[in-house]
DNA sequence: GTCGATGTTATCAA
DNA sequence: TTTGATAACATCGA
């Protein structure tokens, strides 16, 4: 579930509850949730103060007072909540960080997520740029280098960091671009609309505290509200909100892909490469 | 009971 | 090199 807007919402709701707090205890039931898997997380965290909490792509990055950092990735079904230490522990709770009477709890039934130790210097150099700060020429340049369908390209975290299945579909709809359009065949005008569409879509989703399909909640346990405003995702065969044409679903790269066949026509496009001095 | 689908991504083979 | 398929896992609904 968790893509950029959900992860940002978790960070926003987590911050006031964690910043400046001292970690007094760490329990992890499964050592596989921590990477590297032989790392002594409890030893590294006990006694430390949480000095920073930020988002990078879909990662939640924790900064500590000794200069070390680690990040948590929620995978498909991860939840990160702050609860009283006497609250019942849910099934599939893999990590509990105790900060006084409150505990940070990581629950992840499908176990696609994890806790990743970064140390003092590692940064997300393996990830693409943040979509909310992305410039048109930057996006065009990156898209011009791949022939893949635009849907698959945008899901690639090394191309742009933070988009997932829902927000790629929603952004492509908002930009009027067919998900199968080859990335390097978009016109510069297409990319301009796409860049705007991505930002508008993500900002609206953050304002509505993300989309809850099944598992997602923020740090306070609250569900998001943006799923009610989806224009294409999960709306197969329902009328397009713009033109009433039934929304289509196809499978692309193993992922469900939703679009309006009328608003997102497959058409002849330019060669982005020529527009990018490359 | 079985099958297929679910928001992610590391890994493997073509 | 690039990219498409697959696997990792648990749960839910048809």
């Amino acid at each position: 579930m968790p893509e950029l807007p959900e992860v940002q919402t978790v960070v926003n709701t987590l911050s006031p509850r964690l910043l400046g707090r001292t970690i007094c205890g760490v329990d992890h039931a499964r050592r596989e949730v921590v990477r590297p898997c032989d790392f002594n997380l409890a030893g590294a965290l006990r006694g430390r103060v949480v000095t920073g909490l930020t988002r990078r792509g879909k990662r939640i990055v924790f900064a500590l007072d000794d200069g070390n950092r680690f990040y948590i990735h929620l995978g498909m079904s991860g939840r990160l909540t702050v609860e009283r230490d006497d609250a019942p522990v849910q099934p599939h709770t893999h990590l509990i960080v105790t900060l006084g009477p409150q505990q940070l709890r990581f629950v992840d039934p499908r176990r696609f997520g994890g806790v990743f130790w970064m140390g003092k210097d590692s940064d997300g150099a393996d990830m693409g740029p943040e979509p909310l700060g992305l410039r048109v020429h930057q996006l065009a340049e990156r898209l011009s280098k791949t022939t893949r369908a635009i849907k698959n390209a945008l899901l690639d975290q090394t191309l742009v960091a933070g988009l997932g299945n829902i927000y790629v579909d929603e952004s492509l709809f908002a930009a009027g671009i067919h998900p199968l359009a080859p990335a390097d065949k978009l016109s510069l005008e297409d990319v301009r609309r796409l860049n705007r569409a991505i930002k508008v879509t993500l900002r609206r989703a953050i304002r509505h505290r993300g989309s809850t399909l099944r598992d997602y909640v923020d740090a306070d346990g609250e569900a998001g509200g943006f799923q009610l405003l989806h224009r294409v995702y999960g709306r197969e065969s329902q009328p397009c909100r713009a033109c009433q044409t039934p929304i289509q679903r196809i499978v692309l790269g193993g992922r469900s892909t939703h679009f309006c066949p009328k608003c997102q026509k497959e058409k002849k496009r330019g060669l982005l490469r020529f527009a990018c001095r490359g």
Side-chain angles (χ1 to χ4, degrees):
Chain A
M1 96 199 35
E3 305 178 30
L4 187 150
E6 290 77 30
V7 176
Q8 185 64 56
T9 303
V10 171
V11 167
N12 291 346
T13 48
L14 221 44
S15 288
R17 291 164 164 267
L18 293 190
L19 291 182
R21 307 290 289 277
T22 301
I23 297 169
C24 46
V26 177
D27 289 297
H28 53 109
R30 291 178 174 276
R31 71 184 300 90
E32 316 91 80
V33 303
V34 177
R35 248 81 46 99
C37 57
D38 57 352
F39 184 75
N40 179 7
L41 186 70
L45 295 189
R46 200 170 299 116
R48 300 274 59 80
V49 175
V50 181
T51 56
L53 196 63
T54 52
R55 179 193 57 74
R56 174 75 175 99
K58 298 174 189 171
R59 302 172 177 177
I60 299 165
V61 183
F62 294 74
L64 304 171
D65 61 341
D66 61 359
N68 282 312
R69 292 186 302 161
F70 66 95
Y71 72 85
I72 291 182
H73 196 296
L74 299 175
M76 286 272 259
S77 59
R79 291 177 169 207
L80 211 46
T81 56
V82 176
E83 296 169 55
R84 289 172 47 121
D85 58 5
D86 58 359
V89 175
Q90 303 300 316
H92 307 292
T93 298
H94 304 316
L95 177 75
I96 296 181
V97 178
T98 302
L99 315 105
Q102 303 273 299
Q103 293 184 329
L104 173 68
R105 296 180 178 181
F106 177 47
V107 178
D108 183 21
R110 293 179 70 180
R111 284 186 266 144
F112 291 171
V115 182
F116 301 79
W117 186 253
M118 302 167 75
K120 291 197 165 122
D121 37 36
S122 96
D123 57 353
D126 51 332
M127 316 182 68
E130 286 293 324
L132 286 172
L134 199 57
R135 307 277 285 272
V136 183
H137 69 270
Q138 242 184 319
L139 182 57
E141 167 81 19
R142 301 177 84 85
L143 291 177
S144 73
K145 294 201 168 73
T146 182
T147 61
R148 296 139 87 195
I150 184 66
K151 159 95 188 203
N152 290 339
L154 291 176
L155 283 175
D156 182 347
Q157 302 297 297
T158 66
L159 199 143
V160 176
L163 296 176
N165 209 31
I166 294 177
Y167 296 105
V168 168
D169 283 7
E170 293 296 318
S171 298
L172 287 174
F173 173 83
I177 297 173
H178 195 286
L180 282 171
D184 64 340
K185 300 290 192 303
L186 298 180
S187 69
L188 202 50
E189 194 44 47
D190 286 329
V191 180
R192 202 164 276 133
R193 286 201 320 279
L194 177 58
N195 193 42
R196 266 197 287 263
I198 289 172
K199 289 179 194 189
V200 169
T201 303
L202 292 178
R203 282 200 218 100
R204 285 185 70 219
I206 292 171
R207 199 177 324 128
H208 291 270
R209 300 173 5 267
S211 304
T212 295
L213 302 189
R214 161 161 237 97
D215 303 295
Y216 168 73
V217 292
D218 66 17
D220 302 322
E222 296 282 323
F226 193 65
Q227 67 281 358
L228 301 173
L229 300 177
H230 290 171
R231 295 193 172 109
V232 286
Y233 186 86
R235 298 193 65 246
E236 180 182 15
S237 73
Q238 293 176 52
C240 171
R241 296 203 201 280
C243 74
Q244 316 306 316
T245 304
I247 299 300
Q248 255 180 42
R249 183 179 87 96
I250 59 176
V251 174
L252 205 44
R255 318 294 304 279
S256 264
T257 298
H258 312 74
F259 65 100
C260 170
K262 185 165 169 199
C263 298
Q264 296 166 267
K265 282 222 188 328
E266 263 189 297
K267 58 183 184 209
K268 277 197 119 144
R269 310 217 174 235
L271 269 182
L272 199 48
R273 188 146 52 83
F274 294 154
C276 294
R277 62 156 173 91

